[in-house]
Amino acid sequence: MFKAIVPDLYVQSIYDIDFHQLQRRGVKAAIVDLDNTLVEADRPDATPKLVSWLDQVQGMGFRVMIVSNNTRTRVSRFATPLQIPFIHRAKKPLSRAFKKALRRLETKPEETVVIGDQLFTDVLGAKRMGLFAILVVPISESEGFFTKINRMMERIVFRWMKEKGMLRWGDRP
């Protein structure tokens, strides 16, 4: 039952992802969540560290797109100064936004990773599409009502994953 939300990789943050290894596997693009994945949900702009990370990843030839369930205003204000394409109100884990992102990135599922901080939106959406799912630890505990409900359910799933030995890398949850 829970296997559809088991991430392929689990890391502390985006900065711990080995993009050289992904490149060797044929990955060309990353679909990335915004809030609590790239920055805190209440931070309007990218940090200098994030800008440097984006420059490095894109400098390696990766295409990056933000796919967020948040509003156009929130996502646009963040992504536009960085010149990062985005999809807002994605309704993750539904597949429509992931399909649209693949078309815009001009990549196949096996060439694309999804990076996010939530099992029931980012990981589930990625796995339903056959995408490699990378789960990161949320940057901040400051979250909205529905995300807090998701986090309660995630704790149950994390316990199950640990019992079954299903988490890869740091087994952090």
Side-chain angles (χ1 to χ4, degrees):
M1 173 178 145
F2 291 133
K3 290 183 181 182
I5 54 174
V6 176
D8 295 296
L9 182 65
Y10 187 47
V11 295
Q12 184 68 36
S13 80
I14 58 170
Y15 306 109
D16 296 313
I17 299 169
D18 185 344
F19 277 87
H20 293 287
Q21 184 179 39
L22 292 174
Q23 202 168 43
R24 286 190 294 274
R25 292 186 58 204
V27 174
K28 298 176 180 177
I31 295 170
V32 185
D33 181 47
L34 173 55
D35 295 323
N36 275 332
T37 298
L38 295 178
V39 295
E40 300 87 348
D42 57 357
R43 180 182 293 274
D45 302 310
T47 64
K49 184 176 182 180
L50 176 60
V51 171
S52 176
W53 178 83
L54 285 166
D55 288 345
Q56 179 185 7
V57 169
Q58 290 174 318
M60 292 175 68
F62 286 93
R63 286 169 256 161
V64 177
M65 176 176 280
I66 295 172
V67 175
S68 173
N69 284 346
N70 213 320
T71 66
R72 178 180 193 83
T73 301
R74 161 67 174 143
V75 183
S76 175
R77 283 184 180 163
F78 183 87
T80 300
L82 299 170
Q83 298 179 351
I84 300 290
F86 65 90
I87 296 171
H88 67 286
R89 290 204 195 277
K91 297 183 182 175
K92 297 179 287 183
L94 299 179
S95 60
R96 185 179 61 80
F98 292 102
K99 288 177 182 176
K100 183 176 181 181
L102 288 171
R103 282 193 307 274
R104 288 177 61 191
L105 290 165
E106 299 178 339
T107 56
K108 300 173 188 168
E110 62 272 14
E111 299 172 327
T112 312
V113 298
V114 174
I115 305 167
D117 68 303
Q118 291 191 58
L119 289 176
F120 294 107
T121 57
D122 306 306
V123 174
L124 179 59
K127 300 298 270 188
R128 291 178 71 220
M129 291 288 302
L131 299 161
F132 190 87
I134 301 174
L135 182 67
V136 299
V137 174
I139 294 172
S140 170
E141 292 183 20
S142 174
E143 298 177 307
F145 175 76
F146 292 108
T147 302
K148 287 180 182 183
I149 291 171
N150 276 349
R151 297 288 184 213
M152 288 188 296
M153 293 187 302
E154 283 180 349
R155 283 191 285 279
I156 295 166
V157 176
F158 283 139
R159 269 186 249 125
W160 175 81
M161 282 189 232
K162 282 184 177 181
E163 288 172 11
K164 300 290 183 188
M166 299 183 93
L167 284 178
R168 303 207 175 123
W169 174 73
D171 296 315
R172 282 280 210 247

